[in-house]
Amino acid sequence: MNLGQYLPVLLFILLGIAIGVLPQVIGYVLGPNRPDAAKNSPYECGFEAFGDARMTFDVRYYLIAILFILFDLETALLFPWAVTLRELGLYGFMVGLEIVTILTIGFVYMWLKGALDWE
């Protein structure tokens, strides 16, 4: 077994770790450290925090977040699909059209149910 083939991979991993860790270590060692009460206090929009940090959120907030992720992933899917559309041919076009149609029907359904209305 020739382990010399794995040397570039090992160097790549070590270089990646060094690029990620080294600036943080340099900043910690060379950076100023002068804590005071104002710097150590919690900051939320310019005023002191009130209430419990574990308060409940409206379910619509999570629904909007999930819908955003869904349509963000759809956009990420459409770019490579559009680039390779000529190689995919008619079948690839129809599959992509099916995905977009299903997501559009889901979007219209959520819209009609009022899931996107924010009061």
Side-chain angles (χ1 to χ4, degrees):
M1 184 170 195
N2 187 4
L3 295 177
Q5 297 173 345
Y6 295 105
L7 182 63
V9 175
L10 180 65
L11 288 176
F12 184 74
I13 291 172
L14 291 176
L15 184 66
I17 290 172
I19 287 174
V21 172
L22 205 60
Q24 294 179 22
V25 171
I26 291 172
Y28 181 77
V29 171
L30 299 179
N33 187 12
R34 295 182 290 267
D36 60 4
K39 287 182 182 177
N40 291 333
S41 67
Y43 177 75
E44 290 185 17
C45 302
F47 54 86
E48 287 295 321
F50 60 90
D52 187 17
R54 299 188 186 277
M55 63 186 211
T56 59
F57 286 98
D58 193 1
V59 173
R60 288 177 290 189
Y61 173 78
Y62 297 109
L63 185 61
I64 297 291
I66 289 171
L67 287 173
F68 172 76
I69 291 172
L70 177 71
F71 290 108
D72 187 45
L73 290 176
E74 176 192 8
T75 305
L77 172 76
L78 286 177
F79 281 113
W81 174 71
V83 169
T84 61
L85 192 56
R86 286 191 180 162
E87 289 84 20
L88 296 175
L90 182 62
Y91 177 73
F93 176 73
M94 297 306 281
V95 169
L97 191 63
E98 179 185 3
I99 291 171
V100 171
T101 303
I102 290 170
L103 288 172
T104 303
I105 290 170
F107 177 70
V108 170
Y109 174 77
M110 298 303 269
W111 192 352
L112 293 176
K113 285 292 187 179
L116 302 176
D117 294 336
W118 197 263
E119 298 172 1

